[in-house]
Amino acid sequence: MRRNFVFGTAVSDYNFTGREREIKRLLTAFQTGINVILMSARRLGKTSLVKHVSRLLDSNEVIMVFLDIFSCKTEYEFYNKLATEVLKQTASRQELWLDEAREFIFRLAPKISISPDPNSEFSVSLGISPKTHTPEEVLSLAEKIAIKKGKRIVVCIDEFQQIGEMEGSKQIQARLRAVWQHQEHVSYCLFGSKQHLMSNIFLNRSMPFYQFGDLIALEKIPTEEWVEYIVSHFADGNRTILREQAEEICRFVDNYSSYVQQLSWILYTQTNEGECVTDEKVRQAETDLLNVNEILFMQMVEPLTEYQTNFIRAIVSGEHSDFGLAETRETYRLGSYSNIGRLKKALLERDIITSENHIITLTDPVFAQWFNRNMMI
């Protein structure tokens, strides 16, 4: 059954909209073996974009490998995840492993679980450690398989900022780049959800991944494109929404893709077939969106100090720079001038704020709306 709006997971086909320029740029990069770094704020659809483009590729020429390393806290946890997904997503059930894979795992006792259902996936557990493999062996695996198969491989790594939080991060990054930059049959698409950590990895001249590939900064989808999408999807469900109401959805969530989908879905479910959306229902859907996310937002603010909470109040009140001014510090009770830097650092690390060209904003527009309704005094 077709879903009119989708959130909380990658979208595709009917639920994917816009991004024509980004699609063309990514498609060309994947076909020609150019490394890509995809950067944006949370909830703007990075994963959806990458998976959408992957479906446009000829699988006889390019193999796509996807992995999410959010749970990886150490270097060898990452190597296990990388090797497992490369082997799993490049081997057929009949092959299980290529010659290169057999050479790679002969020092291990891999656990392979295969369902009797021919259409189901199989699971693999490798147990790679410094005693079994060097980093270079793991990082070269995809290249060996690509050469053997005579195809190009694109390895897409989500939550790549986790590499930046590992112990010895700079040395790990140096090892990755030292191997990956010389591969001719494998390219990499690296993206993550914590923008300040991704910026440090890829935009800092002193870091190994500086200028590693084509850097694509993903912007918000324009309101006019979202309006067309929302109006048409309501119509497909035999419901009517005015363009002005669709614009209000975009305004309330600042065009953040996941939230546009979520708020549209809430409003869609509150509107019966054959009905027209009312302004009252739009306002109710906005309130419901805040209520649905309230537990998450409460978890965000509960650990904060009074100064940190006051800093957020200043942002919600319209302050985005010059926090060190005596008048601003006094108005919002931010403490001493030297305290401002500590507040910024703490909130950046929690991914509550973002800083671009010395302008500070909240990373989550719906959190901003919730904070404005519930935490302003």
Side-chain angles (χ1 to χ4, degrees), residues 123-240:
S123 64
V124 183
S125 177
L126 293 178
I128 297 169
S129 72
K131 293 181 179 180
T132 64
H133 293 83
T134 65
E136 290 73 20
E137 286 180 285
V138 180
L139 298 172
S140 299
L141 177 62
E143 178 77 356
K144 290 182 178 180
I145 293 176
I147 293 171
K148 179 68 176 181
K149 279 186 168 285
K151 296 183 179 182
R152 181 173 297 284
I153 293 177
V154 180
V155 179
C156 302
I157 306 179
D158 198 355
E159 304 294 358
F160 191 77
Q161 78 280 341
Q162 291 300 113
I163 297 294
E165 297 194 292
M166 294 177 183
E167 184 177 354
S169 171
K170 191 169 183 179
Q171 290 72 31
I172 296 172
Q173 293 176 48
R175 282 193 280 273
L176 302 189
R177 175 149 191 173
V179 176
W180 288 352
Q181 69 182 353
H182 297 296
Q183 295 180 347
E184 298 181 359
H185 303 84
V186 179
S187 59
Y188 296 84
C189 178
L190 310 175
F191 50 108
S193 60
K194 292 187 178 181
Q195 199 167 3
H196 73 285
L197 291 175
M198 291 290 288
S199 296
N200 185 56
I201 293 173
F202 294 106
L203 302 182
N204 189 331
R205 292 176 179 269
S206 67
M207 299 300 285
F209 273 102
Y210 181 69
Q211 293 188 332
F212 177 68
D214 185 20
L215 179 62
I216 301 177
L218 202 61
E219 303 293 339
K220 291 176 282 190
I221 295 174
T223 297
E224 56 269 22
E225 293 185 25
W226 273 127
V227 168
E228 294 295 333
Y229 174 88
I230 295 167
V231 170
S232 65
H233 280 228
F234 267 78
D236 290 345
N238 193 25
R239 295 159 171 84
T240 301

Side-chain angles (χ1 to χ4, degrees), residues 314-323 358-362:
I315 296 172
V316 173
S317 297
E319 299 289 342
H320 300 289
S321 60
D322 299 326
F323 293 94
H358 305 292
I359 301 298
I360 306 293
T361 57
L362 296 181

Side-chain angles (χ1 to χ4, degrees), residues 7-145:
F7 58 94
T9 186
V11 303
S12 61
D13 302 327
Y14 176 70
N15 296 107
F16 189 92
T17 188
R19 304 290 189 207
E20 284 80 8
R21 287 182 298 177
E22 293 91 342
I23 290 170
K24 182 177 180 180
R25 191 166 163 184
L26 265 184
L27 188 61
T28 301
F30 290 170
Q31 290 170 331
T32 57
I34 301 297
N35 296 319
V36 175
I37 298 97
L38 193 58
M39 296 182 64
S40 78
R42 287 178 180 270
R43 300 183 178 88
L44 287 187
K46 295 182 291 294
T47 302
S48 295
L49 172 62
V50 173
K51 291 195 172 183
H52 178 78
V53 172
S54 73
R55 295 184 181 93
L56 303 178
L57 292 165
D58 185 347
S59 60
N60 292 318
E61 297 179 359
V62 181
I63 301 174
M64 300 295 295
V65 174
F66 293 91
L67 59 149
D68 184 323
I69 64 169
F70 183 75
S71 63
C72 298
K73 306 303 180 185
T74 67
E75 182 176 7
Y76 266 83
E77 285 183 2
F78 166 68
Y79 293 151
N80 271 280
K81 184 75 171 181
L82 176 63
T84 297
E85 294 305 321
V86 167
L87 291 172
K88 183 178 174 182
Q89 296 181 45
T90 59
S92 68
R93 292 172 61 89
Q94 291 73 27
E95 294 172 314
L96 267 187
W97 313 127
L98 303 166
D99 290 340
E100 289 79 7
R102 294 193 188 97
E103 293 173 4
F104 180 82
I105 66 173
F106 81 97
R107 283 162 288 182
L108 303 170
K111 298 178 181 178
I112 305 171
S113 176
I114 303 177
S115 168
D117 181 357
N119 296 317
S120 67
E121 293 186 349
F122 53 86
S123 64
V124 183
S125 177
L126 293 178
I128 297 169
S129 72
K131 293 181 179 180
T132 64
H133 293 83
T134 65
E136 290 73 20
E137 286 180 285
V138 180
L139 298 172
S140 299
L141 177 62
E143 178 77 356
K144 290 182 178 180
I145 293 176

Side-chain angles (χ1 to χ4, degrees), residues 293-304:
N293 288 280
E294 184 164 39
I295 294 177
L296 171 63
F297 297 152
M298 287 296 296
Q299 290 174 341
M300 290 170 61
V301 300
E302 282 177 354
L304 300 181

Side-chain angles (χ1 to χ4, degrees), residues 239-290:
R239 295 159 171 84
T240 301
I241 184 172
L242 299 177
R243 296 182 66 86
E244 293 79 7
Q245 294 166 333
E247 289 173 358
E248 168 59 17
I249 290 174
C250 297
R251 184 205 64 77
F252 190 80
V253 300
D254 196 22
N255 287 44
Y256 275 56
S257 300
S258 180
Y259 281 139
V260 171
Q261 297 267 15
Q262 187 175 12
L263 181 52
S264 297
W265 169 249
I266 292 172
L267 183 57
Y268 181 88
T269 60
Q270 294 174 350
T271 307
N272 296 322
E273 285 193 45
E275 285 187 351
C276 297
V277 171
T278 64
D279 291 345
E280 181 181 358
K281 285 187 176 181
V282 174
R283 289 190 294 271
Q284 182 59 52
E286 292 172 347
T287 298
D288 290 346
L289 177 65
L290 299 185

